[in-house]
Amino acid sequence: MSDSNTPTTSNAPNDSDAGKMEPRDFIREIIRKDLADGTTSKVVTRFPPEPNGYLHIGHAKSIFLNFGIAEEFDGACNLRFDDTNPAKEEQEFIDAIEADVRWMGFTWAGAPKHASDYFDTLYTWAENLIENGKAYVDDLTADEIREYRGTLTKPGRNSPYRDRTADENLDLFRRMKAGEFADGAKVLRAKIDMASGNINMRDPVIYRIVKKPHPRTGDTWCIYPTYDFAHGQSDAIEGVTHSLCTLEFEDHRPLYDWLVENLPTPARPRQYEFAKLNLSYAVLSKRRLTQLVKDGHVDGWDDPRMLTLSGLRRRGIPAVAVRDFVSRLGVTKSDSVVDPALLDHCVREYLNKVAERRMAVIHPLKVVIENYPEGETEMLDAVNNPEDDAAGTRQVPFGRELYIEHDDFMEDPPKKFFRLGPGREVRLRWAYFLTCNEVIKNDAGDVIELRCTYNPETKGGDAPDGRKVKGVLHWVSSAHAIDAEVRLYEHLFVDPAPGKDRDFIEALNPDSRSVLENCKLEPSLADWPVGEALQFERLGYFAPDPDSTAAKPVFNRTMTLRDTWAKIQAKTS
Ligand code: ATP
Ligand code: MG
């Protein structure tokens, strides 16, 4: 059992059999073995966020692992808030975390649980440790404790308070609980070994005084257990069998084990560690995300540029694509940095299949069709999703005045430019061939309007003489267009590893968001559900933002169309 933390199988992304093959990784191997030899009868995992921020894409990896394993092995996964630090934790975060886990498509076993549910038991167990001579109250300051702790190369020194009697410790600990001492004046430490090669075993602090009301227990407590004293014990109380955490807790495992062994816990959980998800051009630590929000570098935790689950959702990224992404990462024990192009690829692959297509013009240029009757409108059939016949068709209004994309016109186009230019002909999607006859400019010399003619015999398809036209442009009838704001996003950071060579704030991308006003949408886009992505033909995937009003819809660009991941793969394979 002791060496069961060694990875036995690497977990390469199983692209070839996507969705068919059972996921295999070292943690699942351990679980299969534990179930086979009877060590475990029912797998219980937990997802244990600290409610001091919103969940990010890294947490999605942990959610997918913990809840995914529970589903696969017919076990259970608890949602447990690791709420041991009232100084930083808030109800807003608890609510957001629950919403995000549900959005990912998972349900926790029973009611949400909290480390704070166990404060009474944890307190009793701390007294047990004291009675058994395995914990003591220390009066050293935080700085002194750090100094006495030693370093990786230097053993620690015993605190002068280490040899207090059990009675004295019990009395002091009870008075800590009663609020007799100020924050930081005393702590309770486990009495393990100040010379241990593992610094976590050098008499770790297990209780500290924090005179702050707790979101759940209010003013009941002014002493709180540390993460180390709460986590494994909470696992044991809940009957968690496999406690999965990230690699930085590997060195805490001896302490985790020491505590469950030295306390009258009802069960014996085991901790296993896996590598965190890191993404280039992003920061995922909650401390940094908090700074971005608090200092106003972004509009909030759900800013669509944030790689929080709520930010991704607001941008229109579907939960299915996030699950696909984390499922491809595998679960290993070696840290790596993932290219965000892989996430983008998963989003495009999914949206290409399911997203409806619509026409929208984000840099409008007016077109007047001089041979089209004034005041007339006709309805043209347009296919909603060429990848999905069941999505059907809709009708799009066409008339004498249209908008096309400014980029789709060039006054002096090179040969390879197959879009519109003076004297050139293009096809309008779902409509007619169009020829540009005249270019109208304002006093500054900017092109502001095109005078064109259409060919009535080319409706919905090709020319009767079989003539081919290469360029196909999207368009919106100006008489029917909905005015909208469109927000375009780029990576929030310009450095691949923000914070590596300079402060991560300096690496912020000043162009991470551009706001386009007066964009033109086809009328079927009125009241499109917030957060539901669709494709603006030729432009990308977009989804309405919650800032939308009836008078002015606001769309976020979820993703461009060009798949850079496929290119990267082609180059490297
Ligand atoms: P951060 O480093 O962002 O502050 P954290 O680990 O303190 O994150 P918690 O709320 O304690 O955040 O995390 C809940 C669970 O999610 C933990 O089990 C943690 O190991 C896991 N987790 C956090 N970040 C990642 C990540 N980048 N990849 C995979 N799992 C993660
Ligand atoms: Mg944490």
Side-chain angles (χ1 to χ4, degrees):
M1 242 198 252
S2 57
D3 65 353
S4 56
N5 235 332
T6 318
T8 50
T9 320
S10 79
N11 184 9
N14 38 25
D15 247 339
S16 48
D17 279 286
K20 282 207 197 113
M21 214 155 89
E22 281 188 346
R24 297 198 85 84
D25 53 64
F26 74 98
I27 291 176
R28 288 175 168 89
E29 291 300 326
I30 291 166
I31 291 175
R32 283 195 186 90
K33 189 188 121 304
D34 288 348
L35 286 169
D37 70 15
T39 308
T40 303
S41 55
K42 179 184 165 190
V43 179
V44 181
T45 56
R46 86 289 168 265
F47 173 63
E50 181 178 356
N52 61 349
Y54 281 53
L55 298 181
H56 53 63
I57 185 107
H59 292 114
K61 177 175 179 176
S62 177
I63 291 172
F64 187 73
L65 180 65
N66 282 293
F67 286 94
I69 282 178
E71 277 181 5
E72 271 161 63
F73 293 95
D74 214 8
C77 180
N78 295 342
L79 172 64
R80 183 203 313 145
F81 292 101
D82 168 23
D83 56 350
T84 51
N85 183 359
K88 285 201 222 143
E89 294 155 10
E90 292 172 24
Q91 187 62 38
E92 177 197 346
F93 298 140
I94 294 187
D95 297 340
I97 289 168
E98 291 186 10
D100 285 346
V101 175
R102 270 192 231 105
W103 177 69
M104 284 283 292
F106 292 109
T107 350
W108 45 90
K113 303 185 168 41
H114 310 80
S116 58
D117 297 339
Y118 316 127
F119 280 173
D120 285 322
T121 308
L122 293 172
Y123 177 81
T124 308
W125 286 349
E127 287 205 349
N128 291 160
L129 274 188
I130 294 172
E131 283 159 2
N132 297 332
K134 288 176 179 162
Y136 61 96
V137 172
D138 198 353
D139 298 1
L140 292 183
T141 64
D143 284 341
E144 286 165 339
I145 289 180
R146 203 170 307 119
E147 202 242 297
Y148 273 67
R149 190 178 288 136
T151 64
L152 282 175
T153 49
K154 207 175 85 194
R157 281 179 293 140
N158 286 353
S159 161
Y161 304 99
R162 198 175 196 261
D163 295 320
R164 281 175 163 155
T165 63
D167 283 347
E168 190 185 354
N169 282 320
L170 210 49
D171 172 60
L172 288 171
F173 188 48
R174 287 179 180 165
R175 286 165 59 197
M176 277 169 67
K177 176 176 178 254
E180 280 189 33
F181 309 113
D183 282 25
K186 291 190 178 358
V187 292
L188 184 70
R189 300 177 70 174
K191 194 170 180 178
I192 308 179
D193 178 7
M194 288 306 289
S196 170
N198 182 336
I199 292 184
N200 293 294
M201 299 297 274
R202 293 183 190 168
D203 293 6
V205 172
I206 58 176
Y207 259 94
R208 61 231 187 298
I209 302 170
V210 184
K211 292 194 168 161
K212 283 248 164 63
H214 185 283
R216 292 180 53 84
T217 58
D219 292 321
T220 309
W221 297 92
C222 64
I223 56 170
Y224 292 93
T226 55
Y227 169 89
D228 284 317
F229 195 70
H231 204 88
Q233 286 82 299
S234 303
D235 287 341
I237 292 168
E238 293 175 10
V240 167
T241 53
H242 297 78
S243 180
L244 314 177
C245 61
T246 41
L247 284 177
E248 69 270 27
F249 292 101
E250 194 163 20
D251 292 343
H252 292 242
R253 182 162 22 105
L255 176 56
Y256 182 105
D257 290 341
W258 187 91
L259 287 166
V260 271
E261 276 154 21
N262 283 281
L263 292 170
T265 54
R268 178 65 176 91
R270 298 265 167 201
Q271 174 184 302
Y272 301 95
E273 308 88 21
F274 64 96
K276 270 196 162 171
L277 166 62
N278 301 297
L279 275 181
S280 47
Y281 298 98
V283 299
L284 291 186
S285 105
K286 268 190 277 185
R287 190 179 52 76
R288 286 174 164 181
L289 295 176
T290 304
Q291 191 180 336
L292 291 175
V293 173
K294 286 227 163 113
D295 295 349
H297 298 292
V298 294
D299 283 347
W301 286 96
D302 68 345
D303 186 302
R305 293 166 294 181
M306 295 274 273
L307 291 174
T308 52
L309 298 183
S310 53
L312 296 172
R313 178 165 66 237
R314 183 165 179 182
R315 221 172 88 187
I317 290 182
V320 181
V322 176
R323 283 175 67 145
D324 180 28
F325 168 67
V326 289
S327 79
R328 293 186 197 211
L329 301 174
V331 181
T332 68
K333 276 187 101 78
S334 49
D335 268 314
S336 64
V337 181
V338 175
D339 188 329
L342 176 59
L343 171 63
D344 298 355
H345 171 74
C346 296
V347 173
R348 288 189 187 99
E349 196 174 79
Y350 178 70
L351 288 179
N352 180 48
K353 278 185 274 173
V354 305
E356 294 212 353
R357 274 62 165 172
R358 291 292 184 274
M359 292 197 287
V361 172
I362 61 173
H363 295 106
L365 173 60
K366 190 166 149 191
V367 166
V368 178
I369 306 174
E370 293 183 300
N371 62 338
Y372 197 90
E374 239 166 292
E376 214 167 278
T377 298
E378 66 183 302
M379 300 302 283
L380 302 173
D381 279 333
V383 172
N384 286 334
N385 183 356
E387 302 286 320
D388 177 13
D389 290 342
T393 60
R394 69 187 183 284
Q395 298 233 296
V396 193
F398 185 85
R400 182 179 158 91
E401 283 193 16
L402 312 175
Y403 293 108
I404 64 164
E405 213 63 62
H406 221 296
D407 290 355
D408 281 337
F409 173 80
M410 273 181 92
E411 204 178 0
D412 190 12
K415 222 167 169 234
K416 283 270 155 94
F417 186 81
F418 297 115
R419 293 170 268 166
L420 205 54
R424 293 207 180 189
E425 189 176 47
V426 291
R427 184 141 57 91
L428 294 175
R429 185 84 157 137
W430 315 118
Y432 299 95
F433 283 18
L434 181 87
T435 305
C436 172
N437 304 313
E438 192 190 338
V439 181
I440 298 180
K441 298 182 180 175
N442 62 13
D443 294 342
D446 305 319
V447 176
I448 52 163
E449 186 180 316
L450 304 177
R451 292 273 157 171
C452 300
T453 44
Y454 85 119
N455 180 343
E457 300 195 338
T458 54
K459 184 167 175 176
D462 293 320
D465 61 6
R467 196 168 82 251
K468 285 272 178 278
V469 166
K470 268 204 172 161
V472 182
L473 308 190
H474 62 275
W475 51 272
V476 171
S477 159
S478 70
H480 307 89
I482 302 172
D483 283 319
E485 177 182 315
V486 169
R487 299 173 182 168
L488 308 180
Y489 302 104
E490 303 289 340
H491 289 320
L492 189 52
F493 295 96
V494 290
D495 292 358
K500 185 163 169 270
D501 303 318
R502 51 178 174 167
D503 188 277
F504 81 105
I505 294 296
E506 286 170 32
L508 278 165
N509 177 4
D511 302 317
S512 58
R513 176 172 62 194
S514 349
V515 177
L516 306 176
E517 301 286 354
N518 299 315
C519 301
K520 307 292 179 183
L521 314 180
E522 68 163 83
S524 69
L525 284 170
D527 304 321
W528 199 266
V530 166
E532 189 175 312
L534 72 148
Q535 188 186 107
F536 287 175
E537 292 213 36
R538 301 178 61 230
L539 297 177
Y541 297 100
F542 292 79
D545 188 86
D547 285 349
S548 295
T549 60
K552 190 174 83 171
V554 176
F555 277 77
N556 293 316
R557 183 168 70 194
T558 311
M559 200 58 65
T560 56
L561 292 175
R562 203 164 51 97
D563 195 337
T564 48
W565 180 251
K567 288 207 187 91
I568 296 167
Q569 292 305 90
K571 255 191 225 159
T572 54
S573 63

